[in-house]
Amino acid sequence: MNAPSLIELFGIFFYIGLFTIGGGLVAITTMQQIVVERGWITSEKFFNMVAISESTPGPIGVNMATYIGYEFHGPIGGIVATVGEVLPSFICIIIIAKFFARFQEKPIVKAAFKTLRPATTGIVLVACAQVFALSLLNFDGSGFLELFKWKSLAFYVLATFALFKTKVHPIAVVLAGAVFGILFL
């Protein structure tokens, strides 16, 4: 594994922070394209990082940046990647706060926000489909019955039911998933 330098790490996460409008879930797709396709992290390790980052407090994009930076360069790498990830948002918010009140009712601004929502939803859907496939599907099986990771799929169905039909807290489902994985996978 050829790790990026600290400067490259900062640049990568500055780029991700600058061009991932829609938040951390949108950033995951871009992070995956950069770190997995360059061979820095395996796909499986990346989605393990996503699971850990999703289950820890804070925005997932920032958590992922910190985790990936730490993976390459320890605490300094975590700090560098995190600063790179949040600095564009900080700069944009300062600029927007200064001018938004003046422009929020302009038709072009309203139109831009209306089209950003479906675009970011599509990007989030791609990230969800990739996590779903990695978590629940076997691509090395020879038949239909081998296509699914049946234990994981059963837990997925139960967790989805619990989240939609009961008032169980999502943290309880995450903890149950960790226990389930330790005991049964």
Side-chain angles (χ1 to χ4, degrees), residues 43-48 129-137 139 149:
S43 195
E44 185 172 352
K45 186 171 188 169
F46 180 81
F47 285 112
N48 287 340
Q130 291 171 336
V131 171
F132 180 88
L134 183 68
S135 301
L136 303 176
L137 301 177
F139 295 107
K149 296 176 183 175

Side-chain angles (χ1 to χ4, degrees), residues 161-173:
F161 178 80
L163 288 168
F164 279 112
K165 295 294 184 182
T166 69
K167 294 185 184 229
V168 67
H169 197 280
I171 291 175
V173 174

Side-chain angles (χ1 to χ4, degrees), residues 150-156 175-185:
W150 290 103
K151 290 178 184 176
S152 296
L153 185 62
F155 184 81
Y156 170 79
L175 292 174
V179 170
F180 179 83
I182 291 168
L183 296 177
F184 299 108
L185 299 180

Side-chain angles (χ1 to χ4, degrees), residues 27 31 35 51 72 75 98 101 120 131 160 177-178:
M31 286 180 201
V35 300
F72 291 129
K98 180 148 178 75
T120 55
V131 171
T160 302

